Amino acid sequence: MIHTTVFASALTSVPCWLINEGQVSYAVALEVQRRLVQEHRENPDLPDVLILLEHPPVYTLGQGATLDFLKFDPMVTNWEVHRVERGGEVTYHCPGQLVGYPILNLRRYQQDLHWYLRQLEEVLIRALAVWGLQGDRVSGLTGVWVEGRKVAAIGIKVSRWITMHGFALNVCPDLQGFKEIVPCGISDRPVGSLAEFIPGIDLDRVRPVVAASFAEVFGVELIASAWPK
């Protein structure tokens, strides 16, 4: 069981900066990620980073995503839409969803993208277990499901073994925005949230649990840090 007030793994003292933010526009967060990745490529000795935040309503598409999974025309809409360098299809971010952006040098862990994806899933599975929820994997797909409902999406980009983008955990969001897309290109599996299983849950309760789970899975010590200027 993960203790929600402890962010460090007992087995290591490898530092990782933890940046806890509230609601940040997608464009601003993307610019910060890209800048951090560049800094870590230029100086691989910099500590890793985990950013936890929320976004205002926004749709994002992976670099190879098809527009067929949008139920609206992105050229004539009031929705904010971004095509970015991560893998995967279209997804939706909004308040009440905890988004995590790890900036990790995988040379410190394993230089294996499949391993990294499974580790991100494991972070969320262990976090859900704190509330007695069983997080499941689905063979051939990426993400985490609870009772057949997808509660977490994952999409990453890795450049010279430095990671960006990450995971989105539906804690207590308004799920209506997902009706405008085929989430992650999966039409036969519904999207869900933790609030459907744990009434009254909010991000303030989930943030420290996810942080502690991340520290445990990756074997790091999380050190509180400010939003990059």
Side-chain angles (χ1 to χ4, degrees):
M1 181 66 69
I2 301 166
H3 194 293
T4 59
T5 61
V6 177
F7 289 160
S9 164
L11 302 178
T12 185
S13 59
V14 175
C16 178
W17 293 329
L18 174 64
I19 300 172
N20 252 317
E21 281 295 307
Q23 194 172 133
V24 178
S25 76
Y26 190 83
V28 168
L30 182 60
E31 188 279 329
V32 166
Q33 285 188 81
R34 287 170 173 167
R35 179 153 45 90
L36 288 173
V37 167
Q38 183 60 35
E39 290 173 358
H40 282 71
R41 287 173 58 176
E42 293 172 355
N43 182 0
D45 294 329
L46 286 173
D48 292 328
V49 180
L50 172 63
I51 301 172
L52 296 177
L53 47 69
E54 295 176 89
H55 288 308
V58 59
Y59 293 96
T60 73
L61 298 101
Q63 58 186 353
T66 174
L67 297 180
D68 293 345
F69 295 130
L70 291 178
K71 297 180 181 179
F72 59 89
D73 185 341
M75 303 305 294
V76 287
T77 181
N78 292 325
W79 293 109
E80 184 178 351
V81 182
H82 294 269
R83 184 180 288 275
V84 294
E85 60 270 76
R86 67 165 173 80
E89 294 290 342
V90 62
T91 195
Y92 176 62
H93 300 302
C94 65
Q97 183 188 72
L98 182 63
V99 178
Y101 294 132
I103 312 296
L104 306 183
N105 184 344
L106 290 184
R107 292 183 180 88
R108 296 183 175 125
Y109 307 95
Q110 288 193 38
Q111 293 173 211
D112 183 326
L113 302 190
H114 294 288
W115 173 87
Y116 179 55
L117 289 169
R118 302 294 81 79
Q119 294 301 98
L120 292 181
E121 291 171 345
E122 183 66 19
V123 167
L124 301 173
I125 288 170
R126 294 191 190 190
L128 295 179
V130 170
W131 285 281
L133 295 178
Q134 179 177 322
D136 296 318
R137 295 180 172 93
V138 174
S139 179
L141 300 176
T142 298
V144 177
W145 282 258
V146 174
E147 296 185 11
R149 304 182 72 83
K150 189 172 185 179
V151 299
I154 296 172
I156 64 169
K157 166 71 175 178
V158 178
S159 174
R160 297 185 190 175
W161 297 112
I162 307 297
T163 70
M164 65 181 295
H165 299 288
F167 61 83
L169 176 63
N170 295 334
V171 178
C172 53
D174 181 349
L175 297 176
Q176 290 299 308
F178 284 99
K179 294 183 178 180
E180 300 294 329
I181 60 174
V182 179
C184 303
I186 304 171
S187 60
D188 60 345
R189 296 179 182 273
V191 172
S193 71
L194 302 195
E196 295 176 278
F197 305 97
I198 312 167
I201 196 166
D202 59 29
L203 264 69
D204 287 341
R205 292 172 62 190
V206 174
R207 283 174 183 268
V209 174
V210 170
S213 179
F214 185 91
E216 182 177 75
V217 169
F218 284 96
V220 298
E221 178 184 2
L222 293 177
I223 302 168
S225 183
W227 183 256
K229 301 299 184 182

